[in-house]
Amino acid sequence: MAWVLLVVAGLLEVGWSIGMKYSEGFTRPLPSVLTGAGIVASMLLLSCAARSLPIGTAYGVWVGIGAAGAAVLGMVVLGEPATAARIFFVCLLLVAVVGLKVTSGH
């Protein structure tokens, strides 16, 4: 169950990181409120997952999911450059996340 919470927390991190872009520096009320709610929910789920997972693993997976997801959505939704190098490094992030999961012992 901790892994499910952690993945959901990571997906929420993707949502709030993209939400920051749409909140325009927290000047737009609805995107700002949704972004804030995503931050709180993501942190709560991360802390719940960290009760039974090693914190280094939990935090690393959470950040990795968030970073990779934000980079992919940035390219797909926000029109950021989708160069071969960027895609390669996003793939490395995903390999690191899987590696942390496989070597966590949980």
Side-chain angles (χ1 to χ4, degrees):
M1 187 60 170
W3 284 104
V4 172
L5 295 176
L6 187 57
V7 169
V8 173
L11 294 173
L12 284 168
E13 186 186 6
V14 174
W16 67 253
S17 63
I18 296 298
M20 283 195 298
K21 182 75 170 174
Y22 286 104
S23 76
E24 296 180 9
F26 295 104
T27 60
R28 297 181 60 214
L30 183 58
S32 297
V33 168
L34 293 174
T35 298
I39 290 169
V40 170
S42 180
M43 290 285 184
L44 286 172
L45 291 176
L46 171 62
S47 69
C48 289
R51 288 180 192 159
S52 59
L53 297 174
I55 190 61
T57 299
Y59 185 73
V61 169
W62 180 72
V63 169
I65 291 169
V72 168
L73 283 181
M75 289 183 266
V76 173
V77 175
L78 301 174
E80 295 176 357
T83 64
R86 289 188 85 202
I87 294 167
F88 171 76
F89 287 113
V90 167
C91 290
L92 281 182
L93 273 171
L94 295 175
V95 167
V97 167
V98 170
L100 286 170
K101 163 64 171 113
V102 169
T103 61
S104 74
H106 283 87

